[in-house]
Amino acid sequence: MTRLRAIVLAGERPGGGALAQALNLPAGVLAPLAGRPCIEHVVEALRAAECVSDLVLSGPERTVVDAAPVLTALLDAPDVSWVAPAPGPAASALAAAGDGPYPLLLTAGDHGLLSAAIVDGFCRAAARLEADVVVGLVPHAEVALAYPESRRTVLRFRDGAYCGSNLFALLTPASGAALEFWKQVETDRKRPWRIARRLGVLTLLRYLGGRLGVDAAFAELSRRSGCRVGWVEVAAARAAVDVDSEADWRLADRILAADDTAHAHDAP
């Protein structure tokens, strides 16, 4: 299996995200999970994955890094480097991707429940597609069954409902076109009429009416972004849980505590 450089988006919104504010932390990726900062769990999962070669942390800001022993320790390792975050996730991903080399794996620093098995499964599935960008989607039914208390954003297509996984494969240099498109949508987040115009009003109407299939949605996204955007199913409910709110932080902490208990019982 081709080994990819992994880009980990670890920047923080201006003024701090909701979780950072709730826990009085300079960055949400420092939130403690099972006794260790969230970013440490993410890096551990990526290092254990067969498909990952090395890592690039995009953020947090240098002042945060220099004041956080866990981050300075991570950056002391030869397989982890750091780049300054740009304004917004898409711009940060573009800056970190640079000129490659491709393919690249993109994920988030608050993906505290990530595992090597999830990463490798996604990379294997993505490599089978003829695409420039591949997005991982988790069936909502699995998420709702595993974590009924979790409130997730749900994409409801005609042929199924899905949650995001914060896993993206940037397979070719052409993937930059999708990131540029994403960046434009981000800048219009407070102007929904502009987002509608970028995505296509008819496409949005089909989606709202429950008549848009997932493959048709990605075909339209490919046409509008100017590159081939595909998707794969990530059959792991925990892949849909990112730790960006106090409720999700408590949920993730409970899940990891249960994992530790199960491992302890399995130990000889």
Side-chain angles (χ1 to χ4, degrees), residues 15 18 27 32 50 55 78 85 91 98 110 122 130 135 167 169 171 176 189 197 204 224 228 231 237 242 266:
E50 294 179 6
L55 290 74
D110 61 5
F122 169 74
E130 292 186 2
V135 179
L167 288 170
L171 299 179
R189 65 186 183 278
R197 187 175 64 192
L204 285 178
R224 290 187 175 272
R228 300 168 300 172
W231 71 284
D242 47 3
D266 292 340

Side-chain angles (χ1 to χ4, degrees), residues 95-189:
D99 296 325
Y102 291 86
L104 294 163
L105 174 68
L106 179 63
T107 189
D110 61 5
H111 208 334
L113 296 180
L114 197 62
S115 70
I118 292 173
V119 173
D120 284 333
F122 169 74
C123 289
R124 289 190 184 98
R128 298 188 191 105
L129 299 188
E130 292 186 2
D132 299 305
V133 182
V134 179
V135 179
L137 297 179
V138 184
H140 175 247
E142 295 191 17
V143 181
L145 181 63
Y147 315 121
E149 73 276 34
S150 178
R151 298 181 63 182
R152 310 249 60 88
T153 299
V154 183
L155 301 171
R156 300 186 185 279
F157 299 102
R158 183 189 63 208
D159 42 0
Y162 296 91
C163 301
S165 71
N166 265 333
L167 288 170
F168 307 88
L170 311 179
L171 299 179
T172 74
S175 61
L179 295 177
E180 286 286 359
F181 183 78
W182 177 18
K183 185 169 71 171
Q184 293 166 6
V185 171
E186 281 180 351
T187 61
D188 291 337
R189 65 186 183 278

Side-chain angles (χ1 to χ4, degrees), residues 232-257:
V232 297
E233 187 173 293
V234 179
R238 64 197 298 153
V241 180
D242 47 3
V243 187
D244 62 357
S245 70
E246 197 168 355
D248 286 337
W249 169 62
R250 295 186 188 282
L251 171 63
D253 198 51
R254 289 199 303 271
I255 294 169
L256 290 177

Side-chain angles (χ1 to χ4, degrees), residues 35-55:
R36 293 188 293 153
C38 182
I39 188 69
E40 207 171 90
H41 291 276
V42 177
V43 170
E44 182 180 84
L46 292 171
R47 278 177 167 161
E50 294 179 6
C51 69
V52 173
S53 59
D54 58 320
L55 290 74

